[in-house]
Amino acid sequence: ANVVLLKGKVVVDFYLPGRQRVRVSVSDLNGREVKCLADQIFEQGNHRINWKDRNIRPGIYLIKFRGIKYQVTKRLLII
């Protein structure tokens, strides 16, 4: 999974080896969920989620990917 900040928009790219339910969420460093970007079944292959939120405050956030057999967390710095 890759997370990139481009021109005020967060781009989340990820690949799934098979069809499965995935939840992608954004949390602050205290563990509070700020936004759920996706909670659905995705088909096998590459996927992209675009997130633009003018109300997000500068800081460090965690992007969490939760699937059936895995969980991945990436850091996101918004300045």
Side-chain angles (χ1 to χ4, degrees):
N2 293 313
V3 179
V4 180
L5 180 61
L6 296 170
K7 297 181 184 176
K9 177 173 67 173
V10 176
V11 179
V12 180
D13 290 321
F14 59 100
Y15 172 80
L16 295 174
R19 183 178 193 265
Q20 63 180 294
R21 178 174 213 83
V22 176
R23 179 175 174 83
V24 182
S25 61
V26 181
S27 300
D28 65 17
L29 290 179
N30 292 320
R32 290 182 296 240
E33 185 173 293
V34 174
K35 180 79 174 174
C36 177
L37 302 179
D39 188 3
Q40 65 189 59
I41 295 174
F42 288 92
E43 298 298 327
Q44 175 184 359
N46 294 306
H47 301 277
R48 173 171 280 177
I49 298 172
N50 295 307
W51 175 43
K52 189 169 186 175
D53 187 345
R54 296 178 193 266
N55 297 322
I56 193 80
R57 294 180 164 215
I60 299 172
Y61 295 88
L62 303 174
I63 308 281
K64 297 179 182 179
F65 301 84
R66 291 188 196 126
I68 295 171
K69 296 182 181 179
Y70 71 94
Q71 179 171 325
V72 176
T73 302
K74 298 283 187 169
R75 283 190 188 189
L76 171 64
L77 174 62
I78 296 180
I79 49 177

